[in-house]
Amino acid sequence: MGRLRIKRIGVMGGTFDPIHNGHLVTAEEAWKQFNLDQVLFVPSGSPPHKEDRKSLDPESRYLMAVIATAANPHFKVSRMEIDRPGPSYTIDTVHELHRVYGRNTEVFFITGADAILEILTWKEPEKVLREAIFIAATRPGYDLRRLEESLPESEKKRHATDPRVLVMEIPALAISSTDIRKRVKEGRAITYLVPESVAKFIEKSGFYI
Ligand code: ATP
Ligand code: MG
């Protein structure tokens, strides 16, 4: 028993500049709803789509993710993308996960519905969908039509019987890193938006001022 069971690894990629409770609630909910063994947070190296704004250095973003997840036994943070030179693409990360965890692993990419729309308009979405299942987090009441319309043709055909894009409703969605950076800059509190340890670390390091 157990030896042949397929391992279910959730992957939450992001800039995490900084990591916040929206990320953590989403990861925990995916872990529960989809019976995942583990959720791996993968902070990006140099993000391909965010070149307009210089983000905090990868080590600091990685550290905040470690601090935020340290007490949770099924959360882990990966250095995979920050140690890889150049921009990272989802497909490379999926391949590396299969290399690290073995073929007997199903990879579940957890993203906000906004991010999944971006991924599905990248190159080779069909290939990515073959190798990973997507969990799209939405607010309750979110209009799913845009998401459904942007699925590649192969996924539209397969969707009814064997969906590779799953939808998960979560309530805590209004939190964003952009808003947190703005609050810090304006001297406003970020209490309850990020874990207390992360808030303290941001303050001590003088980030986002
Ligand atoms: P920014 O405001 O800088 O874009 P962000 O808050 O969107 O930051 P990211 O690091 O860009 O955070 O997001 C990482 C992943 O988490 C993405 O898939 C994104 O869609 C998702 N995400 C971001 N905020 C939330 C939230 N409040 N609830 C659920 N998922 C979220
Ligand atoms: Mg974002």
Side-chain angles (χ1 to χ4, degrees):
M1 264 282 294
R3 213 150 43 93
L4 286 175
R5 202 177 74 79
I6 291 183
K7 218 172 161 178
R8 297 161 73 86
I9 303 288
V11 173
M12 181 114 195
T15 320
F16 301 124
D17 191 15
I19 191 164
H20 55 65
N21 288 343
H23 299 132
L24 297 163
V25 167
T26 303
E28 183 70 6
E29 192 59 26
W31 173 76
K32 222 176 292 164
Q33 278 194 33
F34 298 97
N35 253 313
L36 306 178
D37 293 292
Q38 194 181 76
V39 178
L40 199 57
F41 290 77
V42 187
S44 57
S46 62
H49 297 293
K50 287 195 178 171
E51 274 140 11
D52 43 325
R53 186 187 63 81
K54 211 173 155 358
S55 44
L56 216 55
D57 65 288
E59 284 310 326
S60 300
R61 293 185 284 107
Y62 168 79
L63 256 181
M64 288 190 284
V66 170
I67 292 168
T69 56
N72 188 320
H74 49 261
F75 283 178
K76 224 180 124 174
V77 187
S78 165
R79 298 188 55 92
M80 180 176 294
E81 291 196 4
I82 60 177
D83 287 343
R84 191 191 292 150
S88 288
Y89 291 97
T90 307
I91 190 73
D92 302 327
T93 301
V94 173
H95 284 154
E96 184 145 349
L97 286 166
H98 277 130
R99 254 197 312 279
V100 173
Y101 288 94
R103 291 309 302 181
N104 222 7
T105 301
E106 185 79 81
V107 174
F108 292 77
F109 247 93
I110 307 161
T111 71
D114 57 326
I116 205 178
L117 286 173
E118 256 178 57
I119 289 167
L120 292 177
T121 51
W122 286 358
K123 65 173 171 105
E124 308 189 284
E126 319 230 334
K127 206 164 145 198
V128 180
L129 280 170
R130 257 202 312 276
E131 304 200 30
I133 292 177
F134 279 80
I135 299 175
T138 70
R139 304 186 172 81
Y142 177 87
D143 184 2
L144 286 171
R145 258 170 313 178
R146 250 183 77 212
L147 176 60
E148 278 157 17
E149 280 161 15
S150 62
L151 294 175
E153 283 309 314
S154 60
E155 175 60 19
K156 279 186 192 150
K157 284 192 208 114
R158 180 179 46 209
H159 198 78
T161 49
D162 172 30
R164 304 286 289 175
V165 179
L166 312 170
V167 173
M168 170 178 70
E169 281 195 352
I170 49 160
L173 265 160
I175 306 173
S176 75
S177 303
T178 303
D179 178 57
I180 289 163
R181 291 191 302 269
K182 187 161 171 273
R183 280 168 176 267
V184 174
K185 200 167 182 70
E186 293 170 355
R188 290 152 67 210
I190 53 173
T191 320
Y192 306 129
L193 299 176
V194 300
E196 203 185 339
S197 50
V198 172
K200 290 244 168 73
F201 186 69
I202 289 173
E203 195 184 346
K204 164 182 157 181
S205 311
F207 295 154
Y208 312 125
I209 300 173

